[in-house]
Structures are given as structure tokens and as C-alpha cells.
Amino acid sequence: MSLPRPIVFGNWKMHGLRRDALALAGSLAERYVRPSGSLGIFPPFTVLAEVARRVAGTRMIVGGQDCHDRPEGPFTGCVSAPMLADAGARAVILGHSERRHGLGERDEWICRKVQAAWGSGLLVVLCIGETEAEWLAGRRFEVLDRQLAGSLPEEVPAGRLVIAYEPVWAIGTGRTPTLEDIRDTHAWLRQRLRARRPAVGDLPLLYGGSVKPENAGDIMAQPDVDGVLVGGASLDPEQFWRIYLAGGGS
Ligand code: PEP
């Protein structure tokens, strides 16, 4: 999938009853005409199909927030990659810290989910990031290296992967790393991917964690930051759109 910059993706998490979700999606769809960048929204499963229909005809990407590694079976409460694709999703977020740390998801399982998502033709937004304790202990690169190695399959198909660097301590806290730290981490990620995965080393890298209209422009101006993954601020169409504009989108 070709993803013109800036790439601005919104993770709605567990927010959005049908009426609000459709109003939010509709408000974005009205602004996103003849777009220069890539806008994506990741609503809850319950509204995904309706949201996908609401934005059909625009280039907006609609995705799920997780998927199982199996196509079907006795997995109560889970949703598979073919189900997401069938509902109109073109992408899926995997490895979000709220699942890694909140629900105990491990790299090996995430890796199988990534493979399953690709099997259904979905774009994977793979989230990686260190906790505050790991950050303070100076273990950021070690953790990112382990998560990259553990949650990425050997063969990565072209155009099917975006990596989102999301420091756990920055998610929903209003705190962010300094611009210099974001720059260093993304430069390290780029160099690591080029060395380890030369075929896809130039894949898009997003920053995520307390992105707001006020800091989005500076963050997306950093080298090797191709866009942002936005949580809280993606629930307000005005703020989310201002973030997209701040990254140079139109
Ligand atoms: C997220 O959950 O992916 C995220 C970045 O959240 P927030 O923007 O609210 O920090």
C-alpha cells in the first residue's frame, strides 16, 4: 500500500458508540478530499464496518485495533484478520502497549498475528516502545531491538508494514520525549531496520504518545518521522485534522 506523507493514524481505543463514531468519521471524510497525505482511523470492532462504509469513496484507511492469529475457531471474544478484512478494514494495529502490558501479549504471539494480518492483505501498524522503568534505566534500544526481533516475521512483504514507536510512559500522560530523543530513537530504528531488513528498511516510522496539535508539527519535522499515531486527540475531529495539517497534509 502506498502511503504518502504525512501519515496520521488515529487509535480510538475503546471509545465510540455508533452515533458518535459515525459523526467523527463523517466529519473527517468531509475534510479529506483530494488529500496529499495518509489519514487512517482505527475504531472499535463494533462500529468498524459502519465506519468503513461511511468513509468509502475517500482514501481514508480504516483498520482494526487487534486480531487473532487464527482465521476462526473457539476463541471467545476474539476477532480474526479475515473478519477484519470482511468488515472493510485495510489495516490493523498490533502490539499496542495496552495489549502488551495490560493484557500480557508477548512478542511470539504478536509475530503470529502479524503473519495472519498479512495473510488477509492488511497493512500492519506494529507498535513498540519501552516502559518508564526501562527508559530510566537506559534500556530503550535494547527493548526496541528485542521487540522488533521478536514480533516481526522473517519475511516482510513490501508496503505492508508501518512501525510505530510509542514510549509507554508517553501514552495518555501528556508527557513526550524531547525532540532530540525522538530524533535519536527514529534514527536508530531506521539504521537497525536497514541493517537487519534491507528489503524494507525504508518503511514508514511513526511516533506515538501524547501527540497534540501543538507538538505535532515539530515532531513530524524530525528526520525519519514519517507521521504519528494518535490516541486521545484522534477522538476530536478538529484536533485530529489540525495534527494532519501540522504535518503538512492537505
Ligand atoms: C496510543 O494509544 O497509541 C496513543 C498514542 O495515545 P495518546 O495519543 O492518547 O497518548
Short mmCIF file of all heavy atoms in Angstrom, two decimals, residues 76-134:
data_model
loop_
_atom_site.label_atom_id
_atom_site.label_comp_id
_atom_site.label_asym_id
_atom_site.label_seq_id
_atom_site.Cartn_x
_atom_site.Cartn_y
_atom_site.Cartn_z
N THR A 76 -13.26 -17.26 22.26
CA THR A 76 -14.35 -16.36 22.67
C THR A 76 -13.85 -14.92 22.83
O THR A 76 -12.85 -14.68 23.49
CB THR A 76 -14.94 -16.85 24.00
OG1 THR A 76 -15.37 -18.20 23.81
CG2 THR A 76 -16.10 -15.98 24.45
N GLY A 77 -14.55 -14.02 22.19
CA GLY A 77 -14.24 -12.60 22.34
C GLY A 77 -13.20 -12.10 21.35
O GLY A 77 -12.91 -10.90 21.34
N CYS A 78 -12.65 -12.98 20.53
CA CYS A 78 -11.58 -12.55 19.63
C CYS A 78 -12.11 -12.30 18.22
O CYS A 78 -13.18 -12.78 17.86
CB CYS A 78 -10.46 -13.60 19.58
SG CYS A 78 -9.71 -13.86 21.20
N VAL A 79 -11.33 -11.59 17.44
CA VAL A 79 -11.68 -11.26 16.06
C VAL A 79 -10.49 -11.62 15.18
O VAL A 79 -9.35 -11.36 15.54
CB VAL A 79 -12.01 -9.75 15.96
CG1 VAL A 79 -12.12 -9.31 14.52
CG2 VAL A 79 -13.31 -9.44 16.70
N SER A 80 -10.77 -12.26 14.04
CA SER A 80 -9.66 -12.71 13.19
C SER A 80 -9.36 -11.69 12.09
O SER A 80 -10.17 -10.80 11.80
CB SER A 80 -10.00 -14.06 12.56
OG SER A 80 -10.97 -13.88 11.56
N ALA A 81 -8.20 -11.89 11.45
CA ALA A 81 -7.81 -11.00 10.36
C ALA A 81 -8.80 -11.08 9.19
O ALA A 81 -9.20 -10.04 8.65
CB ALA A 81 -6.39 -11.31 9.91
N PRO A 82 -9.22 -12.30 8.77
CA PRO A 82 -10.22 -12.34 7.69
C PRO A 82 -11.51 -11.62 8.07
O PRO A 82 -12.17 -11.01 7.21
CB PRO A 82 -10.48 -13.84 7.48
CG PRO A 82 -9.27 -14.53 8.02
CD PRO A 82 -8.76 -13.66 9.13
N MET A 83 -11.90 -11.66 9.35
CA MET A 83 -13.12 -10.95 9.78
C MET A 83 -12.94 -9.44 9.63
O MET A 83 -13.85 -8.73 9.21
CB MET A 83 -13.44 -11.28 11.23
CG MET A 83 -13.96 -12.68 11.44
SD MET A 83 -14.03 -13.03 13.21
CE MET A 83 -14.73 -14.65 13.17
N LEU A 84 -11.74 -8.96 10.00
CA LEU A 84 -11.48 -7.52 9.85
C LEU A 84 -11.58 -7.11 8.39
O LEU A 84 -12.25 -6.13 8.05
CB LEU A 84 -10.06 -7.17 10.35
CG LEU A 84 -9.82 -7.17 11.86
CD1 LEU A 84 -8.39 -6.72 12.14
CD2 LEU A 84 -10.80 -6.24 12.56
N ALA A 85 -10.91 -7.89 7.52
CA ALA A 85 -10.93 -7.56 6.09
C ALA A 85 -12.36 -7.61 5.56
O ALA A 85 -12.78 -6.74 4.79
CB ALA A 85 -10.02 -8.52 5.33
N ASP A 86 -13.11 -8.60 6.02
CA ASP A 86 -14.50 -8.76 5.57
C ASP A 86 -15.36 -7.56 6.01
O ASP A 86 -16.32 -7.20 5.33
CB ASP A 86 -15.04 -10.07 6.17
CG ASP A 86 -16.42 -10.42 5.66
OD1 ASP A 86 -16.60 -10.37 4.43
OD2 ASP A 86 -17.30 -10.75 6.47
N ALA A 87 -15.00 -6.96 7.15
CA ALA A 87 -15.78 -5.81 7.65
C ALA A 87 -15.36 -4.50 6.98
O ALA A 87 -15.92 -3.45 7.26
CB ALA A 87 -15.60 -5.70 9.16
N GLY A 88 -14.34 -4.56 6.13
CA GLY A 88 -13.93 -3.34 5.42
C GLY A 88 -12.62 -2.75 5.90
O GLY A 88 -12.22 -1.67 5.45
N ALA A 89 -11.94 -3.44 6.82
CA ALA A 89 -10.65 -2.93 7.32
C ALA A 89 -9.57 -3.15 6.27
O ALA A 89 -9.57 -4.16 5.56
CB ALA A 89 -10.26 -3.63 8.60
N ARG A 90 -8.64 -2.19 6.19
CA ARG A 90 -7.48 -2.36 5.31
C ARG A 90 -6.19 -2.42 6.13
O ARG A 90 -5.11 -2.56 5.59
CB ARG A 90 -7.40 -1.19 4.33
CG ARG A 90 -8.57 -1.19 3.33
CD ARG A 90 -8.69 0.13 2.61
NE ARG A 90 -7.48 0.45 1.87
CZ ARG A 90 -7.10 1.69 1.54
NH1 ARG A 90 -7.83 2.72 1.92
NH2 ARG A 90 -6.00 1.89 0.86
N ALA A 91 -6.32 -2.29 7.44
CA ALA A 91 -5.13 -2.24 8.29
C ALA A 91 -5.47 -2.76 9.68
O ALA A 91 -6.65 -2.94 10.02
CB ALA A 91 -4.63 -0.79 8.39
N VAL A 92 -4.43 -3.00 10.47
CA VAL A 92 -4.65 -3.40 11.87
C VAL A 92 -3.47 -2.95 12.72
O VAL A 92 -2.32 -3.01 12.27
CB VAL A 92 -4.87 -4.93 11.98
CG1 VAL A 92 -3.67 -5.74 11.51
CG2 VAL A 92 -5.26 -5.34 13.40
N ILE A 93 -3.77 -2.47 13.92
CA ILE A 93 -2.73 -2.14 14.90
C ILE A 93 -2.41 -3.42 15.67
O ILE A 93 -3.32 -4.11 16.14
CB ILE A 93 -3.24 -1.07 15.90
CG1 ILE A 93 -3.47 0.27 15.19
CG2 ILE A 93 -2.25 -0.90 17.06
CD1 ILE A 93 -4.14 1.33 16.07
N LEU A 94 -1.13 -3.74 15.80
CA LEU A 94 -0.75 -4.92 16.58
C LEU A 94 0.37 -4.54 17.55
O LEU A 94 1.18 -3.65 17.27
CB LEU A 94 -0.28 -6.05 15.66
CG LEU A 94 -1.40 -6.67 14.78
CD1 LEU A 94 -0.82 -7.66 13.77
CD2 LEU A 94 -2.47 -7.34 15.63
N GLY A 95 0.38 -5.21 18.71
CA GLY A 95 1.44 -4.99 19.69
C GLY A 95 1.32 -3.69 20.45
O GLY A 95 2.30 -3.21 21.04
N HIS A 96 0.11 -3.11 20.49
CA HIS A 96 -0.03 -1.87 21.27
C HIS A 96 0.32 -2.14 22.73
O HIS A 96 0.02 -3.21 23.26
CB HIS A 96 -1.47 -1.34 21.14
CG HIS A 96 -1.60 0.06 21.65
ND1 HIS A 96 -1.71 0.34 22.99
CD2 HIS A 96 -1.61 1.25 21.00
CE1 HIS A 96 -1.78 1.67 23.14
NE2 HIS A 96 -1.73 2.23 21.95
N SER A 97 0.90 -1.16 23.39
CA SER A 97 1.36 -1.38 24.77
C SER A 97 0.21 -1.71 25.71
O SER A 97 0.40 -2.39 26.72
CB SER A 97 2.15 -0.18 25.28
OG SER A 97 1.26 0.88 25.54
N GLU A 98 -1.00 -1.20 25.39
CA GLU A 98 -2.13 -1.52 26.27
C GLU A 98 -2.50 -2.99 26.17
O GLU A 98 -3.16 -3.54 27.05
CB GLU A 98 -3.32 -0.60 25.93
CG GLU A 98 -3.09 0.80 26.48
CD GLU A 98 -3.83 1.91 25.76
OE1 GLU A 98 -4.75 1.62 24.97
OE2 GLU A 98 -3.47 3.08 25.98
N ARG A 99 -2.05 -3.66 25.11
CA ARG A 99 -2.24 -5.11 24.99
C ARG A 99 -0.98 -5.86 25.48
O ARG A 99 -1.08 -6.87 26.16
CB ARG A 99 -2.58 -5.50 23.56
CG ARG A 99 -3.88 -4.85 23.06
CD ARG A 99 -4.39 -5.49 21.79
NE ARG A 99 -4.80 -6.84 22.03
CZ ARG A 99 -6.04 -7.21 22.37
NH1 ARG A 99 -7.00 -6.31 22.52
NH2 ARG A 99 -6.33 -8.48 22.58
N ARG A 100 0.19 -5.33 25.15
CA ARG A 100 1.42 -5.99 25.61
C ARG A 100 1.46 -5.99 27.15
O ARG A 100 1.67 -7.02 27.78
CB ARG A 100 2.67 -5.23 25.13
CG ARG A 100 3.02 -5.41 23.66
CD ARG A 100 4.27 -4.60 23.35
NE ARG A 100 4.62 -4.59 21.94
CZ ARG A 100 5.41 -5.49 21.34
NH1 ARG A 100 5.95 -6.46 22.03
NH2 ARG A 100 5.68 -5.39 20.05
N HIS A 101 1.23 -4.81 27.75
CA HIS A 101 1.38 -4.70 29.20
C HIS A 101 0.07 -4.91 29.94
O HIS A 101 0.05 -5.51 31.00
CB HIS A 101 2.02 -3.35 29.56
CG HIS A 101 3.39 -3.20 28.96
ND1 HIS A 101 4.49 -3.88 29.42
CD2 HIS A 101 3.81 -2.49 27.88
CE1 HIS A 101 5.55 -3.59 28.67
NE2 HIS A 101 5.16 -2.75 27.73
N GLY A 102 -1.04 -4.42 29.36
CA GLY A 102 -2.33 -4.58 30.03
C GLY A 102 -2.88 -5.99 29.94
O GLY A 102 -3.52 -6.47 30.86
N LEU A 103 -2.64 -6.66 28.81
CA LEU A 103 -3.24 -7.98 28.60
C LEU A 103 -2.19 -9.09 28.45
O LEU A 103 -2.53 -10.22 28.13
CB LEU A 103 -4.14 -7.95 27.34
CG LEU A 103 -5.30 -6.95 27.40
CD1 LEU A 103 -6.01 -6.85 26.06
CD2 LEU A 103 -6.30 -7.35 28.49
N GLY A 104 -0.94 -8.74 28.66
CA GLY A 104 0.12 -9.75 28.70
C GLY A 104 0.47 -10.37 27.35
O GLY A 104 0.94 -11.50 27.29
N GLU A 105 0.28 -9.64 26.27
CA GLU A 105 0.64 -10.20 24.95
C GLU A 105 2.15 -10.22 24.77
O GLU A 105 2.84 -9.25 25.05
CB GLU A 105 0.02 -9.35 23.83
CG GLU A 105 -1.45 -9.61 23.69
CD GLU A 105 -2.03 -9.06 22.38
OE1 GLU A 105 -1.27 -8.58 21.53
OE2 GLU A 105 -3.25 -9.11 22.25
N ARG A 106 2.64 -11.34 24.29
CA ARG A 106 4.09 -11.50 24.14
C ARG A 106 4.48 -11.44 22.66
O ARG A 106 3.66 -11.64 21.78
CB ARG A 106 4.53 -12.81 24.76
CG ARG A 106 4.04 -12.98 26.21
CD ARG A 106 4.63 -14.20 26.83
NE ARG A 106 6.06 -14.04 27.07
CZ ARG A 106 6.58 -13.45 28.14
NH1 ARG A 106 5.79 -12.99 29.08
NH2 ARG A 106 7.88 -13.35 28.28
N ASP A 107 5.78 -11.18 22.46
CA ASP A 107 6.29 -11.00 21.09
C ASP A 107 5.94 -12.16 20.17
O ASP A 107 5.57 -11.95 19.01
CB ASP A 107 7.81 -10.84 21.11
CG ASP A 107 8.24 -9.45 21.60
OD1 ASP A 107 7.49 -8.49 21.36
OD2 ASP A 107 9.32 -9.34 22.20
N GLU A 108 6.07 -13.40 20.66
CA GLU A 108 5.85 -14.56 19.79
C GLU A 108 4.41 -14.57 19.24
O GLU A 108 4.18 -14.90 18.09
CB GLU A 108 6.05 -15.90 20.55
CG GLU A 108 7.37 -16.04 21.28
CD GLU A 108 7.38 -15.29 22.62
OE1 GLU A 108 6.66 -15.66 23.55
OE2 GLU A 108 8.14 -14.28 22.70
N TRP A 109 3.47 -14.20 20.11
CA TRP A 109 2.08 -14.21 19.67
C TRP A 109 1.83 -13.06 18.69
O TRP A 109 1.15 -13.20 17.67
CB TRP A 109 1.11 -14.15 20.87
CG TRP A 109 -0.29 -14.55 20.50
CD1 TRP A 109 -0.65 -15.40 19.48
CD2 TRP A 109 -1.51 -14.11 21.10
NE1 TRP A 109 -2.02 -15.51 19.42
CE2 TRP A 109 -2.58 -14.74 20.41
CE3 TRP A 109 -1.80 -13.26 22.17
CZ2 TRP A 109 -3.91 -14.54 20.75
CZ3 TRP A 109 -3.14 -13.07 22.51
CH2 TRP A 109 -4.18 -13.69 21.81
N ILE A 110 2.41 -11.92 19.02
CA ILE A 110 2.25 -10.75 18.14
C ILE A 110 2.80 -11.09 16.75
O ILE A 110 2.20 -10.76 15.72
CB ILE A 110 2.96 -9.52 18.75
CG1 ILE A 110 2.27 -9.12 20.07
CG2 ILE A 110 2.96 -8.36 17.76
CD1 ILE A 110 3.05 -8.16 20.92
N CYS A 111 3.91 -11.79 16.73
CA CYS A 111 4.53 -12.19 15.46
C CYS A 111 3.55 -13.04 14.62
O CYS A 111 3.42 -12.83 13.41
CB CYS A 111 5.81 -12.96 15.77
SG CYS A 111 6.77 -13.35 14.32
N ARG A 112 2.86 -13.96 15.28
CA ARG A 112 1.91 -14.80 14.54
C ARG A 112 0.71 -13.97 14.06
O ARG A 112 0.15 -14.21 12.99
CB ARG A 112 1.44 -15.97 15.41
CG ARG A 112 2.56 -16.97 15.73
CD ARG A 112 1.99 -18.32 16.16
NE ARG A 112 1.16 -18.23 17.35
CZ ARG A 112 1.62 -18.24 18.61
NH1 ARG A 112 2.91 -18.36 18.85
NH2 ARG A 112 0.79 -18.16 19.62
N LYS A 113 0.32 -12.99 14.86
CA LYS A 113 -0.78 -12.11 14.45
C LYS A 113 -0.39 -11.29 13.21
O LYS A 113 -1.20 -11.07 12.31
CB LYS A 113 -1.15 -11.14 15.58
CG LYS A 113 -1.78 -11.78 16.79
CD LYS A 113 -2.01 -10.71 17.84
CE LYS A 113 -2.65 -11.30 19.08
NZ LYS A 113 -3.57 -10.37 19.73
N VAL A 114 0.86 -10.83 13.21
CA VAL A 114 1.35 -10.04 12.07
C VAL A 114 1.24 -10.88 10.80
O VAL A 114 0.73 -10.44 9.77
CB VAL A 114 2.81 -9.58 12.31
CG1 VAL A 114 3.40 -8.96 11.05
CG2 VAL A 114 2.89 -8.59 13.47
N GLN A 115 1.70 -12.12 10.91
CA GLN A 115 1.65 -13.02 9.76
C GLN A 115 0.20 -13.23 9.30
O GLN A 115 -0.09 -13.22 8.11
CB GLN A 115 2.28 -14.36 10.17
CG GLN A 115 2.69 -15.25 9.02
CD GLN A 115 3.92 -14.73 8.30
OE1 GLN A 115 5.00 -14.72 8.87
NE2 GLN A 115 3.75 -14.30 7.07
N ALA A 116 -0.69 -13.41 10.26
CA ALA A 116 -2.11 -13.62 9.93
C ALA A 116 -2.68 -12.38 9.23
O ALA A 116 -3.43 -12.49 8.26
CB ALA A 116 -2.91 -13.93 11.19
N ALA A 117 -2.33 -11.21 9.73
CA ALA A 117 -2.84 -9.97 9.13
C ALA A 117 -2.37 -9.86 7.68
O ALA A 117 -3.16 -9.51 6.79
CB ALA A 117 -2.37 -8.77 9.95
N TRP A 118 -1.10 -10.16 7.45
CA TRP A 118 -0.59 -10.11 6.07
C TRP A 118 -1.31 -11.13 5.20
O TRP A 118 -1.57 -10.89 4.02
CB TRP A 118 0.92 -10.35 6.05
CG TRP A 118 1.69 -9.18 6.57
CD1 TRP A 118 1.26 -7.89 6.65
CD2 TRP A 118 3.03 -9.20 7.09
NE1 TRP A 118 2.25 -7.10 7.19
CE2 TRP A 118 3.34 -7.88 7.46
CE3 TRP A 118 3.98 -10.20 7.28
CZ2 TRP A 118 4.58 -7.53 8.00
CZ3 TRP A 118 5.21 -9.85 7.81
CH2 TRP A 118 5.51 -8.54 8.18
N GLY A 119 -1.62 -12.27 5.77
CA GLY A 119 -2.34 -13.30 5.02
C GLY A 119 -3.70 -12.81 4.54
O GLY A 119 -4.25 -13.32 3.56
N SER A 120 -4.26 -11.82 5.23
CA SER A 120 -5.55 -11.25 4.82
C SER A 120 -5.37 -9.94 4.09
O SER A 120 -6.34 -9.18 3.91
CB SER A 120 -6.44 -11.04 6.05
OG SER A 120 -6.88 -12.30 6.53
N GLY A 121 -4.13 -9.63 3.71
CA GLY A 121 -3.87 -8.43 2.90
C GLY A 121 -3.90 -7.13 3.67
O GLY A 121 -4.02 -6.05 3.08
N LEU A 122 -3.81 -7.20 5.01
CA LEU A 122 -3.90 -5.97 5.81
C LEU A 122 -2.54 -5.29 5.97
O LEU A 122 -1.50 -5.97 6.02
CB LEU A 122 -4.46 -6.29 7.21
CG LEU A 122 -5.86 -6.90 7.25
CD1 LEU A 122 -6.22 -7.30 8.69
CD2 LEU A 122 -6.90 -5.92 6.71
N LEU A 123 -2.57 -3.99 6.08
CA LEU A 123 -1.38 -3.22 6.47
C LEU A 123 -1.25 -3.36 7.98
O LEU A 123 -2.22 -3.15 8.72
CB LEU A 123 -1.59 -1.74 6.12
CG LEU A 123 -0.55 -0.75 6.65
CD1 LEU A 123 0.72 -0.83 5.80
CD2 LEU A 123 -1.10 0.68 6.62
N VAL A 124 -0.05 -3.69 8.47
CA VAL A 124 0.17 -3.83 9.91
C VAL A 124 0.84 -2.58 10.47
O VAL A 124 1.85 -2.12 9.93
CB VAL A 124 1.05 -5.07 10.20
CG1 VAL A 124 1.50 -5.09 11.66
CG2 VAL A 124 0.30 -6.35 9.85
N VAL A 125 0.26 -2.04 11.53
CA VAL A 125 0.90 -0.96 12.27
C VAL A 125 1.42 -1.60 13.55
O VAL A 125 0.66 -1.87 14.49
CB VAL A 125 -0.11 0.17 12.61
CG1 VAL A 125 0.59 1.30 13.33
CG2 VAL A 125 -0.80 0.66 11.34
N LEU A 126 2.71 -1.90 13.56
CA LEU A 126 3.30 -2.62 14.69
C LEU A 126 3.84 -1.61 15.71
O LEU A 126 4.70 -0.79 15.39
CB LEU A 126 4.44 -3.52 14.20
CG LEU A 126 5.18 -4.27 15.31
CD1 LEU A 126 4.28 -5.33 15.95
CD2 LEU A 126 6.45 -4.91 14.79
N CYS A 127 3.31 -1.71 16.94
CA CYS A 127 3.73 -0.77 17.99
C CYS A 127 4.84 -1.38 18.83
O CYS A 127 4.75 -2.55 19.24
CB CYS A 127 2.56 -0.43 18.90
SG CYS A 127 1.18 0.33 18.04
N ILE A 128 5.85 -0.58 19.10
CA ILE A 128 6.93 -1.00 20.01
C ILE A 128 7.24 0.20 20.91
O ILE A 128 6.99 1.35 20.53
CB ILE A 128 8.20 -1.44 19.24
CG1 ILE A 128 8.68 -0.34 18.29
CG2 ILE A 128 7.95 -2.72 18.45
CD1 ILE A 128 10.01 -0.67 17.61
N GLY A 129 7.80 -0.08 22.08
CA GLY A 129 8.14 1.03 22.97
C GLY A 129 8.53 0.55 24.35
O GLY A 129 8.07 -0.51 24.79
N GLU A 130 9.34 1.34 25.01
CA GLU A 130 9.85 0.96 26.32
C GLU A 130 8.97 1.54 27.44
O GLU A 130 8.32 2.56 27.25
CB GLU A 130 11.30 1.44 26.50
CG GLU A 130 11.49 2.92 26.82
CD GLU A 130 11.21 3.83 25.64
OE1 GLU A 130 11.16 3.37 24.50
OE2 GLU A 130 11.04 5.05 25.88
N THR A 131 9.00 0.89 28.60
CA THR A 131 8.28 1.41 29.77
C THR A 131 9.12 2.53 30.41
O THR A 131 10.30 2.73 30.05
CB THR A 131 8.08 0.32 30.84
OG1 THR A 131 9.38 -0.10 31.27
CG2 THR A 131 7.29 -0.86 30.30
N GLU A 132 8.53 3.20 31.38
CA GLU A 132 9.27 4.27 32.03
C GLU A 132 10.51 3.73 32.76
O GLU A 132 11.59 4.32 32.71
CB GLU A 132 8.37 5.02 33.01
CG GLU A 132 9.12 6.16 33.70
CD GLU A 132 8.22 7.31 34.06
OE1 GLU A 132 7.07 7.04 34.46
OE2 GLU A 132 8.68 8.47 33.96
N ALA A 133 10.35 2.57 33.42
CA ALA A 133 11.49 2.00 34.16
C ALA A 133 12.62 1.66 33.18
O ALA A 133 13.81 1.90 33.47
CB ALA A 133 11.04 0.74 34.92
N GLU A 134 12.25 1.12 32.02
CA GLU A 134 13.27 0.77 31.02
C GLU A 134 13.94 2.02 30.45
O GLU A 134 15.15 2.06 30.22
CB GLU A 134 12.63 -0.07 29.90
CG GLU A 134 12.22 -1.46 30.37
CD GLU A 134 11.20 -2.14 29.47
OE1 GLU A 134 10.53 -1.48 28.64
OE2 GLU A 134 11.03 -3.37 29.62
#
